[in-house]
Amino acid sequence: MMSLIKVERIKLLSTKSPYWCVASILVASVLIALVIGLSDHGSQATTVNGVSGVNLGKSVFMIIAALAVTTEYRFNTMKSTFLAAPHRVNVLLAKTVLLAVFGAVLGFVCAIAAFFLTKALATNPPIPLVLEGEVWREVAGYAALFAIAAVIAVAVGTLLRQSAGAISLLLVWSLLFESLFQLIPKVGDKIHAWMPFTAGTEFVSPTSNVETVGRATTSGGPTPIQGLLVFLATGIVLWLIAAVVLNKRDA
């Protein structure tokens, strides 16, 4: 397994797209922290607002994870991979482990950087920005979200095999599709709160009713741990489906 992970690491770092995606994630995290920290002397500089750019970066990171699979199909190197490692699930597992660990590190670093940049720039925050208590969850929790997002993206990339389709589905799902449920009268908000990406975001949200950028926590939704479990369960189910499909179809 370690040999497979090493091979996947070489594949991942041999193309330019991961570097550009990582750079864009860092830029998004820093820029939004910069805006929150400087706007009106940081009057909106809460932890959730300061690291909100990292949540956007999570969608970009899924592009990296999806491309790790679809690029091999695009250039027809997946057959060679399976000839060298006949146990296809092991190959899928190696890709997933590598990207999940990479995502966890990247999410943590970006969130920590955004938090401390916001703290350094905000001269009049509504509450002191101190990395303790549940603030740790709101910041470090992005490590878990990035890791699970990698699992989902690898699964989607394996199922669809085409870069454009996989990336489009992941972006539409994470940024648009779930919000459409809010249009359903009466029950829309409750359904929306339990959708995978929305529920996952609760893990890095405050437990009190705190207004954030474009969002306020609502009653009736999952707790932070419940939200994380919903997101994790989605990733596991999709990954298992992808593993079964990968074993049954031609490379």
Side-chain angles (χ1 to χ4, degrees):
M1 178 59 66
M2 293 305 298
S3 297
L4 285 175
I5 293 175
K6 183 178 179 180
V7 169
E8 293 302 329
R9 176 179 59 81
I10 294 171
K11 290 179 184 178
L12 181 66
L13 300 179
S14 63
T15 60
K16 293 182 180 180
S17 56
Y19 297 99
W20 284 108
C21 288
V22 169
S24 65
I25 294 169
L26 289 170
V27 169
S29 303
V30 170
L31 279 182
I32 292 184
L34 189 67
V35 171
I36 295 297
L38 293 177
S39 296
D40 196 18
H41 303 289
S43 61
Q44 299 298 317
T46 61
T47 300
V48 175
N49 291 350
V51 300
S52 57
V54 186
N55 194 50
L56 177 61
K58 181 171 87 282
S59 297
V60 179
F61 177 72
M62 288 193 295
I63 296 176
I64 302 176
L67 288 176
V69 179
T70 59
T71 300
E72 289 213 56
Y73 284 108
R74 178 185 177 187
F75 293 103
N76 205 29
T77 60
M78 191 62 86
K79 291 182 179 179
S80 300
T81 298
F82 290 149
L83 286 173
H87 298 288
R88 297 184 178 186
V89 174
N90 287 346
V91 174
L92 183 63
L93 183 60
K95 287 181 182 292
T96 306
V97 170
L98 173 67
L99 287 159
V101 172
F102 178 36
V105 174
L106 181 61
F108 180 77
V109 170
C110 289
I112 287 290
F115 174 83
F116 281 107
L117 180 59
T118 303
K119 180 179 180 179
L121 296 176
T123 58
N124 185 33
I127 57 174
L129 295 174
V130 181
L131 197 57
E132 61 182 25
E134 77 164 14
V135 176
W136 265 112
R137 171 179 54 79
E138 296 171 24
V139 177
Y142 278 101
L145 296 189
F146 270 59
I148 297 170
V151 176
I152 292 175
V154 168
V156 170
T158 302
L159 291 170
L160 297 186
R161 298 197 289 187
Q162 294 183 346
S163 297
I167 292 171
S168 298
L169 175 60
L170 289 167
L171 293 181
V172 170
W173 181 10
S174 62
L175 299 176
L176 176 63
F177 175 72
E178 293 186 355
S179 63
L180 296 179
F181 283 87
Q182 292 178 297
L183 301 178
I184 302 175
K186 297 182 179 180
V187 298
D189 286 337
K190 293 183 179 179
I191 296 175
H192 172 255
W194 287 91
M195 296 299 288
F197 283 94
T198 305
T201 303
E202 289 298 325
F203 187 59
V204 290
S205 299
T207 53
S208 56
N209 188 27
V210 178
E211 190 78 22
T212 63
V213 174
R215 175 187 175 279
T217 55
T218 58
S219 59
T223 65
I225 297 300
Q226 289 173 338
L228 181 68
L229 291 176
V230 169
F231 196 38
L232 177 60
T234 302
I236 291 173
V237 169
L238 283 175
W239 194 91
L240 290 175
I241 293 172
V244 171
V245 171
L246 183 66
N247 263 334
K248 289 188 175 181
R249 71 184 177 196
D250 295 334

